[in-house]
Amino acid sequence: MTIPKLRLVESRVVVRNAFTRLPFRFGVVTMEAAPVGILQVEVEFEGGARALGVASDFLAYKWFDKSPEKTPADNVADLLQAIRDARAVYSEAGFGTPYGLWLSTRAEIEAKSLARGFNRLGASFASSMMERAIIDAVGRHSGQTFDQMVRNNSLSIEPGALLEEVGYEDILGALPNRPLDHVALRHTVGLVDPISAADKEDDAPNDGFPVTLEEYLAIDKIGYLKVKVGGQIEEDIDRLTQIAEVVKAASQPIQMTFDGNEQYKNLEDFVALVERIKSTPELNSLWKSVLFIEQPLHRDVAMAAPLPSAAVSAIGKPLLIDEADGWAEAFYDAIELGYEGVSHKNCKGVYRSLINTGLATVRNRTTADKHYFLSAEDLTNLAAVPLQADLAVIATLGIPHVERNGHHYFCGLDHLPEAEWTAALSHHAGLYEPHGKSGALRIDKGMLDLRSLQVPGLGVADHPDLNDGVAEEDWKFEMLEKKK
């Protein structure tokens, strides 16, 4: 099925404020509130038909740009400006295919961000917001789910235009026969998260949700963990030992990943942590369960040179880029440097992840000693639009487990207007369940039910009401300090 070319007619952005139930470490800050941006686009197809599409995401300060000279308020302003620039570039692009518009505009969007003192990762975010909103509009116009659009190539994706060695058949060959019905949730153990009852603060929320890692393992039967390490060996070893004790007491088998969180300037320093782990008997089982290591090196050095082979061998686990994945060809470049994995996040781009899937397939055909792969990461992904859109893509990619912690740090669906959480409970009943005064993510034996996401567009049956939000030009960072 071929989708006619389209053009952007109009776009609009509003911001909502979300307040945490538990503070969490995000990049280099501890966060208690954050803005969520919602983008709506109206597109016109050749022939005159029009459709609306939406995209939404956490406006994450101190992740896209961790520069110490920039404040959190600066970071959010940069993200909103990048989206503003992307909207302007698309408005001037004229008619094109969904993929063609993304491919032809990304360089200009990046150039504008760089000229303003922002970075490539932030520019990718702005580009991805436009990309996702247009994919949603195309699906709603044609009545197709995201999975159907990919398998029919209704988005006119030409991976060879970005990476010559990747063909569309390489992408299709890597996908499961049908979108996943379920995916395992990988719970993140943050650097300030309570591990056991002894760590629970006196003012910990009493809202019916788990608080400690111990409780999540017992109540939600989580089978995957993502453990953040902080770059201080003694502190990391003490904390990992606590985690190992709790994991050992769980009734279910548990596998985990490590997130180095850009804490290291050279890989040898991370090796020092690994050697301490290997020499600590209490951590033997924990280390054996680790599947891969995410972004130990700071983005300034992560892609500067090939990974030292001795250090890679000493670690003995695949290394994956996340924050260093700042441009569409970054995984290709990372493979050449010795990395094996890259994170999928909608906030970095949907087409990018599809093409990376094809690239991994191509390279795995000719490589016996390494396995190239995508992982699914996104710490603070929130219901409804960001969460569901990302999970819809994961269902098509077939990634078996996904980092998801927005439901842990925020209180269920309480951040949504009543009409939206009511609609989510009604139209995505497998993914959510009633809880407290609204609803919550439904976690059944560590699994999420994705079946309701196969709806026209990008995983969301009901668009948010943009009248329930603050116009981006009127939003102020100080609003995050005024919890209602």
Side-chain angles (χ1 to χ4, degrees):
M1 180 178 181
T2 302
I3 294 294
K5 292 181 178 180
L6 64 140
R7 69 181 181 92
L8 179 68
V9 175
E10 192 174 354
S11 63
R12 177 185 174 194
V13 171
V14 302
V15 181
R16 291 176 177 170
N17 302 317
F19 299 90
T20 65
R21 62 184 284 265
L22 289 169
F24 65 97
R25 184 76 64 84
F26 197 78
V28 295
V29 295
T30 298
M31 190 175 289
E32 296 183 3
V36 178
I38 305 172
L39 164 69
Q40 182 184 77
V41 301
E42 182 178 7
V43 301
E44 179 186 19
F45 295 88
E46 288 181 327
R50 294 193 177 194
L52 297 177
V54 297
S56 179
D57 234 315
F58 206 62
L59 299 175
Y61 48 88
K62 292 302 177 183
W63 188 80
F64 290 97
D65 189 338
K66 297 180 183 179
S67 306
E69 63 270 16
K70 287 198 173 185
T71 67
D74 293 335
N75 291 160
V76 179
D78 283 343
L79 288 168
L80 288 172
Q81 180 62 55
I83 297 172
R84 206 174 296 128
D85 287 337
R87 293 160 61 198
V89 172
Y90 267 78
S91 293
E92 298 171 359
F95 283 95
T97 65
Y99 178 80
L101 287 171
W102 169 78
L103 189 70
S104 65
T105 58
R106 66 190 188 93
E108 186 176 353
I109 292 169
E110 181 178 289
K112 286 180 178 293
S113 285
L114 294 177
R116 295 184 188 276
F118 203 18
N119 57 35
R120 300 177 81 179
L121 187 62
S124 291
F125 169 78
S127 179
S128 84
M129 287 284 280
M130 295 300 302
E131 166 194 8
R132 283 176 276 158
I134 285 178
I135 290 172
D136 185 57
V138 171
R140 288 174 179 272
H141 169 71
S142 64
Q144 294 185 96
T145 68
F146 173 73
D147 189 79
Q148 290 169 335
M149 287 187 278
V150 169
R151 295 179 195 275
N152 297 335
N153 201 9
S154 301
L155 302 168
S156 299
I157 300 172
E158 300 177 45
L162 184 75
L163 297 177
E164 289 185 1
E165 68 186 274
V166 181
Y168 204 74
E169 65 280 1
D170 298 315
I171 296 173
L172 294 180
L175 305 182
N177 292 330
R178 58 186 307 278
L180 300 181
D181 287 337
H182 297 85
V183 68
L185 186 149
R186 181 155 38 95
H187 178 82
T188 298
V189 189
L191 291 173
V192 297
D193 287 1
I195 307 302
S196 64
D199 303 318
K200 191 183 288 190
E201 301 288 344
D202 292 338
D203 60 350
N206 183 22
D207 51 16
F209 292 110
V211 172
T212 68
L213 170 61
E214 191 173 43
E215 291 169 342
Y216 272 101
L217 296 180
I219 296 170
D220 291 337
K221 301 298 182 184
I222 301 296
Y224 291 87
L225 297 177
K226 172 174 172 173
V227 177
K228 289 184 176 282
V229 293
Q232 301 297 320
I233 289 182
E234 297 305 324
E235 292 178 12
D236 283 334
I237 293 296
D238 287 346
R239 186 164 157 280
L240 291 174
T241 302
Q242 284 183 286
I243 292 170
E245 291 175 358
V246 170
V247 167
K248 185 178 180 180
S251 60
Q252 69 272 27
I254 295 169
Q255 292 182 295
M256 61 184 68
T257 66
F258 273 16
D259 184 0
N261 228 40
E262 296 189 272
Q263 296 297 315
Y264 301 86
K265 286 292 188 179
N266 64 76
L267 205 54
E268 288 77 9
D269 287 345
F270 186 75
V271 170
L273 173 63
V274 171
E275 295 298 340
R276 277 294 304 277
I277 293 172
K278 290 180 178 179
S279 65
T280 304
E282 296 86 351
L283 299 179
N284 285 345
S285 294
L286 180 147
W287 181 247
K288 287 178 182 178
S289 74
V290 173
L291 301 172
F292 58 80
I293 311 294
E294 178 185 344
Q295 189 86 34
L297 294 177
H298 192 277
R299 69 187 74 176
D300 291 345
V301 298
M303 304 278 277
L307 295 173
S309 57
V312 171
S313 178
I315 294 169
K317 307 282 185 180
L319 297 177
L320 170 146
I321 60 167
D322 181 28
E323 291 94 340
D325 181 26
W327 56 98
E329 305 92 339
F331 185 37
Y332 176 93
D333 297 335
I335 287 174
E336 301 303 306
L337 297 175
Y339 292 92
E340 294 182 49
V342 65
S343 64
H344 156 74
K345 291 181 176 179
N346 268 9
C347 69
K348 294 192 295 185
V350 174
Y351 297 133
R352 177 188 302 194
S353 287
L354 287 166
I355 295 171
N356 283 343
T357 298
L359 177 62
T361 300
V362 170
R363 294 301 181 94
N364 285 334
R365 289 193 194 121
T366 57
T367 305
D369 59 338
K370 291 188 176 183
H371 177 72
Y372 300 105
F373 66 98
L374 274 67
S375 71
E377 315 289 332
D378 208 339
L379 177 71
T380 51
N381 205 291
L382 287 177
V385 175
L387 175 72
Q388 292 173 214
D390 193 65
L391 289 176
V393 176
I394 288 166
T396 292
L397 294 176
I399 301 174
H401 52 89
V402 54
E403 178 200 19
R404 211 78 332 165
N405 256 50
H407 64 282
H408 169 54
Y409 295 124
F410 295 85
C411 193
L413 305 181
D414 285 5
H415 61 282
L416 296 175
E418 182 176 357
E420 291 176 28
W421 63 254
T422 300
L425 289 174
S426 174
H427 298 143
H428 298 283
L431 186 60
Y432 305 110
E433 61 187 359
H435 184 101
K437 66 179 184 180
S438 61
L441 196 64
R442 183 190 297 272
I443 305 170
D444 184 9
K445 296 178 181 177
M447 304 294 288
L448 302 178
D449 187 335
L450 309 183
R451 289 174 292 180
S452 70
L453 304 182
Q454 300 307 318
V455 294
L458 192 50
V460 182
D462 305 280
H463 277 175
D465 180 4
L466 268 69
N467 292 321
D468 199 319
V470 181
E472 54 103 6
E473 63 270 18
D474 296 328
W475 183 85
K476 307 294 182 186
F477 193 84
E478 293 73 22
M479 293 177 181
L480 296 177
E481 301 171 2
K482 301 174 182 177
K483 185 172 182 178
K484 295 180 180 179

